[in-house]
Amino acid sequence: MRIRYQTIEFGELDIHICSLRDRQQIRDDHGRAEAVGVPQAHWSLFGVVWASSRVLANFMFDFDMAGKRILEVGCGTALSSLLLNKLHQDITATDHHPDAEAMLQRNVALNGDTAIPYLRTGWEDDDTSLGLFDLIIGSDVLYESDNLNTLARFIDTHATPHSEVVIVDPGRGQVGRFSKHMAGYGYACEQSPVCGDAGIGEDYRGRILQYQRT
């Protein structure tokens, strides 16, 4: 399994990331991913730093998070969680892939920071031990139509009555359907287009979705 190291800058802050070299690093030697239902085509996706995750992290860098308990869903390499941890925010990370936790721990150590609370969980899981959060964030999580309501229900289960939700989507065509599911749980959506460089050093086209209960 080939890996790469990179440093991503946020103002005066540097976040060091160890990730898979590319999406071709597909291995599941002990069958852990298969055992929890991760399709083979998705085995490597958790370990790549996606453009949407960088857009989300940039957005969160300037976001008002004071006093908020924050949850990142589908964290993957958890760039936003690592950044918020560096900023001493109350961040918890989750992902479905069984290898995401080890990568998160490696990157926390790489940045010399304190441990980030983590739970391996799927959006269909009924485990409510995570508790409630004031801010729930995610990037590029609207990629399968069958999971849209499952994700919306997971978010609602772990949201406080006044929770905010921030999702970065690269234009996968599921935003309308997902927003309808969120509306069913009482959330209104504001969308902000992101085009051009987007502060990540590459061309990006997508949207930042911000949900709040009406």
Side-chain angles (χ1 to χ4, degrees):
M1 185 73 71
R2 301 186 67 183
I3 61 174
R4 64 175 299 195
Y5 290 91
Q6 59 184 305
T7 298
I8 301 176
E9 299 178 3
F10 300 91
E12 298 298 316
L13 290 180
D14 290 340
I15 300 298
H16 309 296
I17 293 279
C18 171
S19 63
L20 298 182
R21 183 176 181 271
D22 52 44
R23 284 175 284 177
Q24 303 308 312
Q25 308 307 310
I26 299 175
R27 287 177 57 180
D28 186 28
D29 292 342
H30 303 290
R32 287 159 42 84
E34 184 179 9
V36 298
V38 178
Q40 183 174 352
H42 294 178
W43 284 354
S44 65
L45 302 188
F46 82 97
V48 177
V49 180
W50 296 91
S52 293
S53 69
R54 298 189 62 178
V55 172
L56 175 63
N58 282 340
F59 186 74
M60 298 313 302
F61 184 62
D62 296 318
F63 199 86
D64 181 10
M65 299 168 288
K68 294 178 180 178
R69 188 169 186 240
I70 310 164
L71 174 68
E72 183 173 11
V73 297
C75 69
T77 55
L79 177 59
S80 289
S81 289
L82 292 166
L83 172 63
L84 298 185
N85 196 40
K86 179 69 72 176
L87 294 171
H88 307 293
Q89 300 297 324
D90 185 358
I91 178 67
T92 298
T94 63
D95 199 278
H96 185 45
H97 199 290
D99 292 334
E101 182 176 13
M103 180 170 286
L104 176 63
Q105 292 175 346
R106 182 172 187 167
N107 284 321
V108 166
L110 191 62
N111 286 279
D113 292 323
T114 57
I116 296 175
Y118 176 89
L119 180 67
R120 192 213 70 76
T121 183
W123 298 331
E124 73 284 353
D125 293 345
D126 294 326
D127 187 348
T128 58
S129 62
L130 282 168
L132 302 180
F133 296 83
D134 308 295
L135 174 61
I136 299 175
I137 63 175
S139 61
D140 203 357
V141 291
L142 310 180
Y143 49 84
E144 290 186 348
S145 59
D146 291 344
N147 291 335
L148 299 179
N149 188 44
T150 305
L151 173 58
R153 185 174 65 248
F154 182 87
I155 288 172
D156 184 64
T157 298
H158 297 95
T160 65
H162 303 290
S163 180
E164 301 172 82
V165 180
V166 177
I167 303 289
V168 173
D169 180 74
R172 296 195 181 275
Q174 308 284 2
V175 171
R177 285 185 285 272
F178 179 69
S179 292
K180 286 183 179 179
H181 289 304
M182 290 293 285
Y185 293 103
Y187 292 86
C189 178
E190 290 187 5
Q191 301 186 29
S192 302
V194 182
C195 301
D197 179 82
I200 63 173
E202 62 180 272
D203 188 57
Y204 182 87
R205 289 188 175 274
R207 283 177 280 186
I208 296 173
L209 313 172
Q210 293 179 261
Y211 296 90
Q212 285 191 304
R213 293 187 195 272
T214 55

